[in-house]
Amino acid sequence: MRSLIYIGRRLLLLVPQLLLISIATFVLIRALPGDPARLELGPLAPQEGVDQLRRQLRLDQPLPQQYLAYVERLAQGNLGRSWVGSTEVSADLAVRLPATLELIIGGMLLVAVVLVPLAMVSAMPGGGIAGQLARKVSFGYGLLAGALPDFWLGLVLIFVFFSLLGWAPGPEGRLGILDVSPDHVTGMYTVDALIAGDLATFWSALAHLALPCITLAFVYGAPVFKMVRSSLESALKADYTLYARAVGLRPTTVLRYAMRNAAPPSIVMAGVVSGYLLGGAVLIETVFNLNGLGQYAVQAVTTADYAPIQAFVLISAVFTMLVYLLVDLAYFALDPRVSRGATR
Amino acid sequence: MAFVASKGPSRRLHGVRRVWAGLSAGDRIVVLLFALIVSVAIAGPWLAPHPTMTADPAQRLLPPSLEHWLGTDDNGIDVFSRLLAAPRTDVTIALVATLLSVLVGAPLGVLAGLFESHPRRVLSLTGEGMLRLLDVLQAFPVFILAMVLVAIRGPGTENVILAVAFVNFPVFLRLVRSELLSLRQRPFAEAARAIGRSDLAAAFVHLLPNALPTVVVQLSVTVGFAVLLTAGLSFVGAGIRPPTPELGAMIAGGAKFMALGQWWVSLFPGLALGAIVFVCGLFGEVIGRALEPGASSAPRRRRAPPLAAAAAATNAPAADPQALLAVDRLSLIGDDPEAPLLETMSLSLRPGERLGIVGVAGAGKSLLLRTVLALPPPGTTVRGRVRFEGRDLETLPAAELRRLRGATLAAILPNAKAQLNPLVRIGDFMAAQIRAHVRCSEAEARRRAAKMLVAVGLTDPERRLDAYPHELSGGMAQRVCIAIALLHRPRLLVADEPTAGLDVTVQRQVLDLMLKLSKEQNVAQIVATRDLGIVAHYCDTVAVLEGGRLVEMGPVAAVLTAPSSAVTHRLIAASRGETA
């Protein structure tokens, strides 16, 4: 019952948050000098079209009315048109969002599979040569990761693994030039290729994802890495771990219990980082030419294409809010002190 | 040896020189590197050996050579020269933007902190509202927000500065606010309010200067971050544009050549960028350490020099063949080998015997118990021997030691609520403990756990098994720990302050329980406590510890009625409520 109330309240909080986000994006665009309709349709659009959009946006009416019109349009899934590409923004997003999701999911998987175990091993005392090596690697990584710019790291990886060694494909996009994209199911090429049973395309898509995902994981995994390491370290030093050893629990159980304590702060950090990932994707997609949401936004910014910018800002804020929601729910599930307040 | 001599008392130094003298070698390198970055940012453009903004198609994309140390870019401009000129752009933007975000964020943070805890509802709601608004603002990813701000206002130095400042001011707002909230609890803030200063005045005069160290550390981190952000914006073409020398734009200019093999155009600016951010972060840590009061000159705790004769006199009991536990010339060495944490202690315990260990805080009681459990603190070395049931714990394989602990060698550690993992249910913990020592099913383990909880006087055992530690009272948690200690019929129970923090009635119940079990099951006990009353009532033997040494040991009645050491006298006097 307590949990239902908590989850309900947390979901309810989403309403004012989304409301504020929509107001913020609305204000952001109205802050532009000039006529929003003209900005959205571009300098080349005919005046009749601009006038029609002006009426649709109720630009002749007071601001609250304009805001309502904006929300109405959003509710219909209408995000406006890109005047540069003369396409529906929502249609563009449907194509590009999966590419970004593929990058983000791949990067976070790498963090989970490579960095988190490394962090855990380096947090444990002892462990012989392997443990010492893990601690050295993790020390070096901790020093470097915060300072290296992601976009530059991507370029260095391209230089080393493409031009020098020839192990990875160059920055040619999500697939090789001769590859045919698989039938659209999820829009993520790796998944779609598997669904279609096309292994060659799958490997190609995976190879094209490798360097971008490594870059993303290396740079954005650092805070997660440091949090896992330090929270597991302090859990292993805590009174309850000493006690667990003093009463003779198995070493694996001791570790498992300590990991439970390290999990909540690590998950919060992973959530905060995920919130930044769309921002990180902007740079990495540009470097690797992945044609995702981020690169779309960069193109829109450099060509002053406002409808896509507006849509991207909105989506990234909503994405962040949803990630934070998931984090809160995960924390709730993991820490009984939140879900089962002190009752006696 | 000259190195040691130079560390002797030095003359008083002032200001910068004194700070410098307090820094370690590594810290000094960081400071020098930071100074180098600042000087390049100031003087770099004048030091450049080649023109930094004039294209020369004849010199296009030359690899590094003696003429062009770091090669040339696709415009034929010397990369090294541009690299000297570029940091001025990035560092200036980052510095100005960071200062701007502090100037806006810090005062707003003070306001938010003051409003939030203000008794007037209007103001507290305003403070709350400010924070919620900030939440929404921070929902927009930093880079995207900055990019869009530049897109709206157009590229150019001022707009990049504004955008970078805008995305960073929430950091300082939150930082100052939380510093303020924690500082408000401190006495001097109360005092300022008591002598009638207004809240706002008190905040600005007293609290903000105190929050300054944290803000300064954050400043240098933010400068580094702002450099990265500026370069990132310029990289995607939403910041500083060529031909102005700027690191991000330089990297962008060389990006396509990376895939073609002309690595030098992008590589060096990226390294420079990484170095700047890296040094800024380290510099922040150095300042943080320097600003922390007393950080560099913390006196090392030293113990009184050992009294060898006295130690030898009391520490050499004859070897007892019936001993369950025999501690033989046990020493525990910490950081300083000259001042061991425990010094050549010997004692022994027969089955069913109850030994009280007394001493003031810091006398080494807990350390002794931890060493007996073969769980000395990390970083310490054990000398001498602990034999339990005739086996040397030091040389026992880890797996066997583990099977001993919690079974025949049971432990109760101080403050039961802190000993139980807050995220593990009592029942899960107890079942895991049982199954770590006995082969049985989960259900069987739970049944045994429930039975033991009833045995130590807890009602409704099923509910307790289902509970998390925070759902128990201190007394209940203590009983759970006793139950855990008794699960496997121990022969020795090591209890560190088993009743600290419990109220008097519960204390009594717990001790009676321990005594009863000791008598019924012939369990030997070592009880460390500051309370002589406990020892007098529940123990057969008492050992008095001081400064890591065993100063007196003997039957309780003898020691307490005719103490031979000054420490024991003082402890007895203190327990009677007299002053020593």
Side-chain angles (χ1 to χ4, degrees):
Chain A
M1 197 51 213
R2 282 183 74 93
S3 9
L4 280 183
I5 291 174
Y6 177 87
I7 294 169
R9 275 171 67 176
R10 185 59 189 78
L11 284 174
L12 222 58
L13 188 62
L14 212 55
V15 175
Q17 280 176 337
L18 290 177
L19 205 69
L20 281 172
I21 286 175
S22 68
I23 293 176
T25 31
F26 174 75
V27 170
L28 200 66
I29 299 304
R30 297 302 129 136
L32 292 174
D35 176 3
R38 169 56 72 185
L39 287 175
E40 183 175 325
L41 294 177
L44 308 176
Q47 191 57 43
E48 306 91 80
V50 175
D51 289 339
Q52 196 193 340
L53 185 62
R54 282 186 65 88
R55 275 193 301 280
Q56 200 193 341
L57 295 175
R58 293 180 216 158
L59 290 183
D60 46 350
Q61 293 178 34
L63 272 177
Q65 283 293 323
Q66 294 184 23
Y67 172 70
L68 281 182
Y70 167 76
V71 174
E72 259 171 43
R73 217 160 70 122
L74 279 185
Q76 291 161 4
N78 182 353
L79 295 169
R81 286 174 72 83
S82 151
W83 67 263
V84 175
S86 48
T87 45
E88 285 289 330
V89 171
S90 47
D92 285 349
L93 292 181
V95 177
R96 286 159 182 267
L97 187 63
T100 302
L101 284 180
E102 209 172 22
L103 170 68
I104 290 179
I105 292 171
M108 282 321 255
L109 275 181
L110 272 184
V111 171
V113 173
V114 179
L115 291 180
V116 170
L118 179 67
M120 294 199 311
V121 171
S122 62
M124 294 174 210
I129 297 169
Q132 291 218 343
L133 189 72
R135 278 190 289 277
K136 287 228 168 74
V137 169
S138 89
F139 176 73
Y141 171 66
L143 279 182
L144 279 182
L148 293 184
D150 43 6
F151 51 96
W152 177 77
L153 185 69
L155 290 173
V156 172
L157 289 180
I158 290 172
F159 171 65
V160 174
F161 292 101
F162 169 65
S163 2
L164 224 52
L165 300 172
W167 292 357
E172 54 187 1
R174 300 171 67 189
L175 288 171
I177 296 161
L178 299 177
D179 292 324
V180 182
S181 56
D183 292 339
H184 182 97
V185 184
T186 61
M188 294 189 243
Y189 285 178
T190 44
V191 179
D192 287 355
L194 278 184
I195 291 174
D198 182 354
L199 277 184
T201 310
F202 170 74
W203 286 119
S204 173
L206 202 61
H208 283 83
L209 262 182
L211 293 185
C213 287
I214 290 173
T215 311
L216 190 80
F218 188 91
V219 173
Y220 291 87
V224 181
F225 178 86
K226 288 177 187 171
M227 183 56 90
V228 169
R229 190 177 59 185
S230 69
S231 55
L232 187 59
E233 259 173 10
S234 59
L236 285 172
K237 277 186 201 146
D239 278 352
Y240 50 77
T241 300
L242 181 72
Y243 180 68
R245 294 177 61 205
V247 299
L249 289 196
R250 290 180 210 282
T252 47
T253 317
V254 173
L255 186 63
R256 203 153 43 84
Y257 285 170
M259 269 153 64
R260 267 195 217 182
N261 294 85
S266 305
I267 284 182
V268 169
M269 188 46 95
V272 171
V273 166
S274 304
Y276 285 114
L277 281 184
L278 270 185
V282 171
L283 287 164
I284 293 172
E285 284 174 9
T286 307
V287 169
F288 290 95
N289 197 17
L290 287 183
N291 261 316
L293 218 51
Q295 202 177 1
Y296 185 57
V298 169
Q299 285 157 1
V301 164
T302 43
T303 51
D305 196 355
Y306 286 103
I309 297 177
Q310 200 173 354
F312 181 62
V313 169
L314 185 71
I315 285 181
S316 52
V318 171
F319 175 81
T320 312
M321 280 297 167
L322 291 179
V323 167
Y324 287 177
L325 172 71
L326 284 181
V327 167
D328 278 353
L329 292 182
Y331 203 101
F332 177 77
L334 283 173
D335 194 334
R337 284 166 297 187
V338 184
S339 47
R340 306 173 31 148
T343 47
R344 257 199 287 130
Chain B
M1 290 320 284
F3 174 66
V4 177
S6 75
K7 281 177 83 180
S10 55
R11 279 174 293 125
R12 271 183 172 279
L13 298 170
H14 290 283
V16 180
R17 282 182 66 195
R18 204 174 59 146
V19 173
W20 180 255
L23 292 180
S24 73
D27 289 355
R28 289 181 185 182
I29 294 175
V30 172
V31 173
L32 288 178
L33 283 175
F34 189 77
L36 179 73
I37 290 173
V38 173
S39 5
V40 168
I42 295 169
W46 304 314
L47 300 175
H50 295 275
T52 58
M53 284 168 69
T54 338
D56 181 359
Q59 304 275 314
R60 215 170 156 265
L61 291 173
L62 295 176
S65 64
L66 280 179
E67 170 69 16
H68 297 286
W69 292 356
L70 306 181
T72 60
D73 66 11
D74 58 331
N75 289 317
I77 304 176
D78 182 51
V79 172
F80 179 62
S81 302
R82 248 177 114 69
L83 209 53
L84 281 176
R88 179 184 280 185
T89 317
D90 290 279
V91 173
T92 310
I93 290 177
L95 276 178
V96 176
T98 308
L99 281 181
L100 205 60
S101 52
V102 178
L103 288 181
V104 176
L108 281 178
V110 174
L111 286 183
L114 287 179
F115 282 177
E116 214 180 341
S117 48
H118 203 279
R120 276 184 60 189
R121 188 124 181 89
V122 188
L123 287 182
S124 72
L125 278 180
T126 314
E128 185 69 19
M130 278 169 81
L131 291 172
R132 293 292 82 80
L133 215 63
L134 214 57
D135 283 345
V136 172
L137 195 61
Q138 289 190 301
F140 297 93
V142 171
F143 188 77
I144 291 162
L145 193 58
M147 199 170 77
V148 170
L149 287 173
V150 176
I152 288 174
R153 300 189 47 95
T157 313
E158 308 87 56
N159 291 339
V160 175
I161 290 178
L162 281 180
V164 174
F166 185 76
V167 298
N168 277 320
F169 88 88
V171 175
F172 290 100
L173 197 162
R174 282 188 197 277
L175 185 75
V176 169
R177 169 190 158 263
S178 64
E179 281 288 308
L180 195 68
L181 289 183
S182 68
L183 285 169
R184 275 172 73 94
Q185 317 296 331
R186 301 232 195 123
F188 62 85
E190 304 263 341
R193 275 202 295 276
I195 61 169
R197 280 193 187 257
S198 81
D199 248 15
L200 197 67
F204 275 101
V205 175
H206 291 272
L207 301 181
L208 206 52
N210 275 288
L212 205 61
T214 328
V215 174
V216 169
V217 173
Q218 183 62 44
L219 261 176
S220 74
V221 174
T222 306
V223 169
F225 179 70
V227 169
L228 265 187
L229 192 58
T230 309
L233 287 174
S234 308
F235 180 79
V236 296
I240 305 300
R241 293 195 169 161
T244 311
E246 193 281 334
L247 293 169
M250 283 175 77
I251 297 174
K256 58 175 176 292
F257 301 110
M258 260 323 205
L260 302 172
Q262 284 102 347
W263 46 273
W264 55 88
V265 188
S266 279
L267 185 80
F268 295 114
L271 284 177
L273 188 55
I276 292 175
V277 179
F278 188 54
V279 171
C280 281
L282 287 180
F283 188 67
E285 282 177 29
V286 172
I287 305 182
R289 256 175 278 147
L291 287 179
E292 217 162 86
S296 56
S297 58
R300 282 176 81 170
R301 223 179 69 170
R302 283 195 71 91
R303 286 163 182 276
L307 294 169
T314 49
N315 284 349
D320 183 349
Q322 294 176 30
L324 174 70
L325 177 80
V327 176
D328 184 19
R329 279 163 301 187
L330 179 74
S331 293
L332 188 66
I333 320 288
D335 298 330
D336 185 359
E338 295 289 296
L341 304 171
L342 295 176
E343 202 175 340
T344 44
M345 269 185 204
S346 299
L347 51 88
S348 70
L349 206 65
R350 291 187 170 190
E353 188 179 347
R354 290 182 301 278
L355 167 68
I357 295 188
V358 294
V360 295
K365 304 186 296 284
S366 295
L367 285 175
L368 174 61
L369 297 198
R370 283 187 68 169
T371 315
V372 166
L373 290 167
L375 286 171
T380 56
T381 326
V382 180
R383 300 239 178 88
R385 208 176 262 184
V386 179
R387 294 170 77 85
F388 177 69
E389 295 178 314
R391 292 194 287 180
D392 188 346
L393 295 186
E394 185 74 14
T395 56
L396 212 58
E400 256 179 82
L401 193 59
R402 180 192 72 70
R403 278 196 287 273
L404 215 61
R405 283 195 207 115
T408 46
L409 176 57
I412 295 175
L413 300 180
N415 186 8
K417 280 195 89 156
Q419 303 302 336
L420 296 166
N421 189 323
L423 301 191
V424 181
R425 288 173 201 266
I426 302 298
D428 292 345
F429 188 87
M430 291 184 77
Q433 205 276 346
I434 292 169
R435 298 182 73 199
H437 294 95
V438 187
R439 281 179 75 99
C440 68
S441 69
E442 180 78 21
E444 168 65 18
R446 285 185 80 90
R447 261 197 302 282
R448 289 174 74 159
K451 235 172 94 185
M452 192 50 81
L453 288 184
V454 174
V456 297
L458 281 174
T459 52
D460 202 354
E462 282 306 323
R463 215 179 105 208
R464 307 299 170 217
L465 288 179
D466 208 36
Y468 286 97
H470 73 270
E471 294 168 319
L472 302 178
S473 69
M476 280 196 265
Q478 193 66 48
R479 279 166 193 267
V480 167
C481 283
I482 293 175
I484 292 171
L486 301 175
L487 279 168
H488 304 281
R489 297 191 156 262
R491 297 198 64 202
L492 172 62
L493 175 59
V494 173
D496 191 359
E497 300 282 5
T499 56
L502 302 182
D503 63 56
V504 184
T505 27
V506 183
Q507 227 178 60
R508 220 192 148 83
Q509 289 168 358
V510 166
L511 289 166
D512 285 341
L513 181 69
M514 283 172 61
L515 185 68
K516 181 174 143 230
L517 291 158
S518 165
K519 285 186 171 154
E520 281 173 7
Q521 305 186 359
N522 203 29
V523 183
Q525 293 185 3
I526 301 183
V527 180
T529 177
R530 262 173 273 180
D531 188 345
L532 278 188
I534 293 179
V535 173
H537 283 103
Y538 296 94
C539 295
D540 311 314
T541 330
V542 61
V544 183
L545 260 54
E546 190 199 19
R549 285 179 297 124
L550 187 59
V551 291
E552 187 168 1
M553 185 161 135
V556 168
V559 172
L560 293 189
T561 48
S564 67
S565 76
V567 194
T568 322
H569 270 295
R570 278 205 301 277
L571 285 170
I572 293 170
S575 75
R576 289 203 191 111
E578 300 163 8
T579 45

